[in-house]
Amino acid sequence: MKKVILASMLALSLTSAFANEGDLTLPGERWAAKFTAFVCADGNTQTAGVPADFAERNVVFGKATTDMSLDNLLVRATFVENGVTCNYSALLFADNAAWTVKLVDSKAYSANNESSCLEGKKFLDSALADNKYKYLHGRAAIYVPATDADVQCSAEESTVGLHFQVTGKIQ
């Protein structure tokens, strides 16, 4: 009996360890979108270059998903820290009346626990903490701070948009 209990406890601890791996999830995912480009705040999709802060960390945004309400958003990205690729996922909450989006939770990890991924996570968490966004006809842009936004877009800019294009409904 003790062996069964011990085996069960070991299995539970292994399950918990693996549960800590992987991206965050968004219950009730309904819409999928893909990252298309960094954009300027001109109301269009004027493409900007990759901001230096993001290029320095080799940040690559991937897909984003929302729930039915369009208020809850899950964004996925990768970045490189100390030569190791890290996966990042962030849950955001959109206030559609105020056109703002705020970070709720995030997670970063490397595939084989080769890195803590903490510095890149701190950077992305800070970038996604509290921002303006625009949504129009299946496109959305989250405007994040970028130290060279004035070079990427115009002298008056301090942010660059992460542009996502809706790809379809999740079945």
Side-chain angles (χ1 to χ4, degrees):
M1 182 65 161
K2 287 182 183 179
K3 287 182 182 180
V4 172
I5 293 172
L6 183 59
S8 297
M9 289 174 60
L10 179 60
L12 182 60
S13 68
L14 287 174
T15 302
S16 296
F18 287 118
N20 290 330
E21 292 300 317
D23 293 325
L24 294 173
T25 59
L26 176 62
E29 287 178 313
R30 181 55 68 112
W31 297 101
K34 67 177 181 175
F35 177 78
T36 60
F38 290 95
V39 297
C40 298
D42 64 354
N44 299 309
T45 56
Q46 176 190 340
T47 303
V50 177
D53 304 343
F54 292 84
E56 179 182 307
R57 293 167 178 83
N58 295 314
V59 176
V60 177
F61 288 94
K63 76 175 194 175
T65 56
T66 68
D67 62 5
M68 184 78 139
S69 72
L70 301 177
D71 292 335
N72 299 295
L73 173 70
L74 176 62
V75 173
R76 293 181 181 88
T78 61
F79 61 89
V80 176
E81 186 166 295
N82 299 320
V84 175
T85 299
C86 297
N87 296 298
Y88 177 84
S89 56
L91 286 170
L92 306 168
F93 178 76
D95 179 340
N96 293 311
W99 293 91
T100 60
V101 63
K102 294 180 192 270
L103 179 67
V104 174
D105 193 12
S106 71
K107 187 172 187 179
Y109 65 94
S110 62
N112 297 318
N113 291 321
E114 299 164 317
S115 172
S116 68
C117 303
L118 287 177
E119 291 305 312
K121 179 183 182 303
K122 285 180 190 175
F123 168 75
L124 287 171
D125 285 355
S126 177
L128 293 170
D130 187 9
N131 300 295
K132 296 285 184 190
Y133 82 93
K134 291 181 182 177
Y135 178 81
L136 181 64
H137 307 298
R139 299 178 317 199
I142 300 169
Y143 290 92
V144 298
T147 57
D148 62 342
D150 60 336
V151 174
Q152 298 297 335
C153 295
S154 71
E156 304 83 38
E157 297 297 324
S158 62
T159 62
V160 174
L162 308 175
H163 184 266
F164 293 92
Q165 177 69 49
V166 172
T167 57
K169 189 175 182 180
I170 298 171
Q171 302 301 328

